[in-house]
Amino acid sequence: MIQAVIFDLDGTLLNTCDDLGAALNHTLESHGLPPVSKEIYSPAISNGVKALLEVGFKDTLIQHDEQRLRQSVLDYYAQNIAVHSHCFAGIAQLLNALSSRGIKVGIMTNKPTFLTMPLLECIDELKQIEVVVCGDTLDEAKPSPKPLLHAAQQLAVDPQHCFYVGDAARDIEAAKAANMRSVTALWGYVPSQEVALSWNADLNLTNPESLIAHI
């Protein structure tokens, strides 16, 4: 029996695409380079700032101080963290349905704490989620199972009674290693549906509300 659902954040609960893309494009433009389109940066978002820099700067990345570029992206993003970010369609309804069934909810994201907590404060639908484990909460992040096991412990549930929902290969890998039921959020920033299905999650869902049928 499922007692808790733990969610990834970017690309699963929240569509943070435009704010992260704006941070990348700000950095590109400050270096005299053209901005990249949403179609280019969206698939890279779940893989972090380095992946964004790679799709933005391409072969010229090696000509720059990558750490300074990373800091530029993070600084701009931190100052403009929730200009466009919002819950994906169906997330509010899913969270309400879980609450009405007494199912506990948590967040486990590789996003660092200094970005995660201010962002959550800006999203009304997520303010009530008390268990939040970030990429720097422990000494390991996903695909290690340790943060998921920590989240389950904070929720006071057995990992085998948890769903973990995410939109990246490392999410599914971490869930399996933690002995949780894995769910791919196909509505998120997956590279493609074909690639996402190759991760062999327990469930592959095209919209958030469809998870309720599996509780």
Side-chain angles (χ1 to χ4, degrees):
M1 183 178 70
I2 297 299
Q3 299 174 355
V5 179
I6 305 172
F7 295 93
D8 174 47
L9 187 59
D10 297 71
T12 301
L13 286 174
L14 287 181
N15 187 343
T16 54
C17 183
D18 288 340
D19 287 328
L20 285 162
L24 170 64
N25 282 333
H26 170 79
T27 299
L28 286 169
E29 290 168 8
S30 70
H31 286 77
L33 295 171
V36 295
S37 68
K38 186 172 185 175
E39 291 72 26
I40 298 297
Y41 63 69
S42 292
I45 282 175
S46 286
N47 293 316
V49 175
K50 180 176 175 60
L52 283 173
L53 291 173
E54 287 172 348
V55 300
F57 283 82
K58 303 183 180 66
D59 294 340
T60 69
L61 184 59
I62 60 173
Q63 301 170 18
H64 300 274
D65 182 331
E66 188 174 321
Q67 186 54 41
R68 286 190 176 184
L69 294 180
R70 174 184 172 82
Q71 196 59 52
S72 173
V73 172
L74 290 175
D75 288 346
Y76 184 90
Y77 180 59
Q79 294 165 16
N80 302 274
I81 201 161
V83 176
H84 304 291
S85 294
H86 59 276
C87 285
F88 284 100
I91 289 295
Q93 293 83 347
L94 171 58
L95 294 176
N96 288 335
L98 293 174
S99 177
S100 70
R101 288 164 170 77
I103 305 296
K104 297 178 179 181
V105 172
I107 292 172
M108 195 285 113
T109 173
N110 271 6
K111 206 182 194 80
T113 303
F114 83 95
L115 294 174
T116 299
M117 304 316 290
L119 175 57
L120 292 178
E121 280 298 312
C122 296
I123 309 298
D124 289 340
E125 298 94 329
L126 306 182
K127 286 182 179 179
Q128 303 306 312
I129 298 179
E130 296 181 356
V131 172
V132 180
V133 178
C134 302
D136 54 357
T137 300
L138 304 178
D139 59 350
E140 294 181 16
K142 296 177 293 186
S144 168
K146 287 177 66 174
L148 281 181
L149 294 173
H150 182 66
Q153 184 180 43
Q154 296 299 303
L155 290 165
V157 297
D158 190 304
Q160 66 180 342
H161 298 307
C162 295
F163 274 134
Y164 183 57
V165 188
D167 68 313
R170 66 174 171 273
D171 296 330
I172 307 308
E173 182 180 344
K176 291 180 177 180
N179 197 30
M180 294 183 181
R181 296 196 67 194
S182 54
V183 182
T184 301
L186 294 174
W187 62 84
Y189 307 140
V190 297
S192 69
Q193 183 163 313
E194 181 181 6
V195 170
L197 293 177
S198 75
W199 302 336
N200 296 314
D202 294 306
L203 294 173
N204 297 283
L205 305 180
T206 57
N207 65 83
E209 291 175 276
S210 58
L211 182 63
I212 291 300
H214 301 278
I215 298 296

